[in-house]
Amino acid sequence: MLEQYGVSRESLREGLRLLEVQGLISIRRGPGGGPVVGTVDPSNLGRISTLYFHLAGATYSELFEAWVLAECVLVDRAARNPDRAARAAAMAPYLDGDGAHEEEELEKFVREHGGFHIAIASLARNRVLELAMQTMGRIVAHHVAVTDDPRVMHGLIADDHLKLARAILAGHANQARSLMEDHIQGIAKYSRERFGARMDDFIEWR
Ligand SMILES: [Zn+2]
């Protein structure tokens, strides 16, 4: 890289460090190590956004409000995706109505719940929206949900996801949008009760 870019060792090191801080690469130390290109993860964009949200004085209450809108935009576009086969493939894992069981491990449950929303975003046919609109949910998951046991909401979420998956598959955008609004509002309501007065706190930078 020193040869390719014609820069000093110091500049290269600083450049790599900047990319590492942004979550775009990871650097393995030691022999055989080096920079490894990471994936484009909305969580990293979300993490950086929290610095701006914090400095702007944005509150968790505002974050939840934005999250509802973002998920509604994504699901509306997903249901309007003209490629029915793509809609069917993305929704297939969520159409059996079985979902995760209560006794399943917390980590698996969280992963599966997140996976459903990632699948919806992937149907939105716009990479800017796909990436930007997912950041709010990722910040919520990182700041709020992980401090609780989301299995409490399990029954509600599994049922919501099944209905949403059916609406997306059928291409019913208005119905999907309204279901999504109820779904995210339901989670937000639960979190608000748990979070109490902290809903008016500034979003933390982390
Ligand atoms: Zn969900």
Side-chain angles (χ1 to χ4, degrees):
M1 275 192 273
L2 289 174
E3 269 173 41
Q4 191 182 339
Y5 295 114
V7 293
S8 70
R9 192 168 288 275
E10 201 175 59
S11 298
L12 179 64
R13 206 174 282 137
E14 188 175 352
L16 290 173
R17 237 189 329 255
L18 283 170
L19 292 174
E20 190 183 26
V21 167
Q22 309 277 343
L24 291 167
I25 61 167
S26 56
I27 297 174
R28 277 201 309 254
R29 320 276 166 190
V36 181
V37 178
T39 53
V40 176
D41 185 344
S43 299
N44 291 326
L45 180 58
R47 197 163 46 80
I48 288 156
S49 306
T50 60
L51 174 58
Y52 292 84
F53 293 155
H54 185 85
L55 292 173
T59 64
Y60 282 101
S61 192
E62 288 172 292
L63 175 66
F64 276 94
E65 195 179 11
W67 182 33
V68 174
L69 287 173
E71 293 291 339
C72 284
V73 168
L74 289 173
V75 82
D76 187 277
R77 292 186 60 92
R80 287 178 206 276
N81 188 319
D83 185 349
R84 193 188 182 279
R87 297 202 314 271
M91 290 299 110
Y94 309 98
L95 285 166
D96 60 12
D98 193 20
H101 290 287
E102 203 131 349
E103 62 273 17
E104 269 178 327
E105 284 159 42
L106 182 59
E107 197 187 320
K108 185 169 181 241
F109 172 74
V110 171
R111 194 175 56 235
E112 282 177 4
H113 178 259
F116 180 66
H117 291 271
I118 292 168
I120 291 175
S122 74
L123 290 171
R125 290 164 295 137
N126 182 307
R127 277 170 284 249
V128 173
L129 291 174
E130 179 180 349
L131 198 52
M133 296 277 169
Q134 282 190 89
T135 58
M136 281 76 97
R138 298 300 178 89
I139 299 169
V140 170
H142 186 57
H143 287 229
V144 187
V146 286
T147 62
D148 262 325
D149 186 344
R151 279 174 298 190
V152 178
M153 297 180 283
H154 173 269
L156 178 70
I157 285 174
D159 189 44
D160 283 358
H161 282 192
L162 176 62
K163 285 184 195 153
L164 274 162
R166 283 180 181 153
I168 293 164
L169 182 66
H172 295 155
N174 292 339
Q175 190 198 11
R177 201 183 173 106
S178 142
L179 284 167
M180 184 61 90
E181 187 170 357
D182 291 346
H183 173 56
I184 303 294
Q185 291 284 19
I187 299 172
K189 182 175 175 282
Y190 172 84
S191 303
R192 264 190 208 106
E193 283 161 9
R194 290 310 193 82
F195 230 44
R198 284 171 60 209
M199 285 303 286
D200 297 323
D201 284 0
F202 295 160
I203 298 164
E204 283 174 42
W205 174 35
R206 62 184 169 93

